[in-house]
Amino acid sequence: AQTVTQSQPEMSVQEAETVTLSCTYDTSESDYYLFWYKQPPSRQMILVIRQEAYKQQNATENRFSVNFQKAAKSFSLKISDSQLGDAAMYFCAYRSASVTGNQFYFGTGTSLTVIP
Amino acid sequence: KAGVTQTPRYLIKTRGQQVTLSCSPISGHRSVSWYQQTPGQGLQFLFEYFSETQRNKGNFPGRFSGRQFSNSRSEMNVSTLELGDSALYLCASSLNRAVNYGYTFGSGTRLTVV
């Protein structure tokens, strides 16, 4: 079974600064997708960014970017110019590209605090 | 466009009772998945429904069941509630089963078992 590990239960960052959240995963599959989701107090899981394993180029979405190291099975999230609205739980997730493995595997989450 | 709607938002039940939670996917979405979120176990997959058929099931006891209707709305049922069933139950919908279609989550139902 696939496992996703987030080793930082809590992180904090000054407003306007940059922070990196870590994630490692374990899988024997070669074709899969990786995600970062944000869960604010409203409880809804919101997609931050997605990476296809077959793509070597790291995904970027505005202030959010990833460092995807396939051989090392590492998938970190960098948040630049942090804003107060970025404060939330962040979950790293894995999903097989195969329809038969159609579920998310989530890490335990990192609680991000943004200090004004 | 309306998002994924889960009802009720909060629920308090007594041990031994049963409960039914509802999830209305985004219009046109045919795949619905359910997840349980607890502080101890994190987010765990319960089951996935597509075209009214259960396609995938997580490692949960038979007390947890679900179904999907012809309009893609889904319900999950937990019978003989235990204290450990207290959790946030999230559902996610997608246009299709393939992962590249993307998934949208609802805000969940917070179930408390007393």
Side-chain angles (χ1 to χ4, degrees):
Chain A
Q2 286 73 19
T3 58
V4 178
T5 302
Q6 292 179 252
S7 58
Q8 306 156 315
E10 297 178 347
M11 292 281 285
S12 62
V13 62
Q14 291 284 145
E15 197 175 1
E17 296 296 310
T18 296
V19 65
T20 298
L21 308 184
S22 301
C23 172
T24 58
Y25 60 95
D26 190 25
T27 184
S28 58
E29 297 179 323
S30 60
D31 198 9
Y32 51 87
Y33 291 74
L34 296 165
F35 304 80
W36 279 97
Y37 277 93
K38 167 185 176 181
Q39 188 178 40
S42 66
R43 307 179 331 198
Q44 183 182 17
M45 299 284 277
I46 301 166
L47 178 66
V48 174
I49 200 165
R50 179 178 105 165
Q51 174 80 43
E52 292 89 340
Y54 66 86
K55 288 187 178 178
Q56 291 190 327
Q57 187 174 7
N58 289 325
T60 300
E61 286 287 341
N62 301 314
R63 299 182 295 108
F64 300 87
S65 61
V66 298
N67 183 4
F68 173 48
Q69 302 289 327
K70 191 171 183 179
K73 295 180 181 174
S74 169
F75 183 61
S76 61
L77 173 70
K78 185 172 84 170
I79 306 174
S80 303
D81 186 26
S82 296
Q83 301 175 359
L84 295 177
D86 295 333
M89 281 291 289
Y90 285 81
F91 291 93
C92 178
Y94 170 103
R95 189 156 187 140
S96 171
S98 165
V99 168
T100 57
N102 215 19
Q103 62 173 283
F104 284 105
Y105 294 88
F106 288 95
T108 51
T110 297
S111 177
L112 179 65
T113 300
V114 181
I115 303 165
Chain B
K1 171 168 147 176
V4 177
T5 303
Q6 291 189 246
T7 57
R9 192 162 169 79
Y10 297 93
L11 202 52
I12 300 175
K13 288 287 188 179
T14 304
R15 265 184 306 176
Q17 286 186 314
Q18 74 165 18
V19 67
T20 299
L21 312 182
S22 177
C23 174
S24 293
I26 290 173
S27 178
H29 282 196
R30 297 164 62 200
S31 172
V32 174
S33 300
W34 289 88
Y35 290 82
Q36 181 196 64
Q37 185 176 18
T38 61
Q41 298 298 317
L43 283 144
Q44 293 185 288
F45 171 73
L46 279 157
F47 23 65
E48 176 210 5
Y49 286 88
F50 180 78
S51 293
E52 302 178 63
T53 303
Q54 187 180 93
R55 305 292 178 146
N56 203 3
K57 189 178 192 307
N59 189 24
F60 278 82
R63 301 185 297 107
F64 291 80
S65 63
R67 58 178 175 169
Q68 186 180 35
F69 302 95
S70 58
N71 62 357
S72 293
R73 188 177 72 87
S74 177
E75 289 181 346
M76 67 163 282
N77 184 278
V78 188
S79 62
T80 319
L81 283 165
E82 301 177 359
L83 295 178
D85 298 332
S86 294
L88 178 66
Y89 290 88
L90 292 164
C91 84
S93 78
S94 178
L95 194 63
N96 210 325
R97 297 193 71 210
V99 66
N100 58 339
Y101 281 98
Y103 296 84
T104 302
F105 282 82
S107 296
T109 293
R110 173 79 66 188
L111 171 65
T112 302
V113 182
V114 298

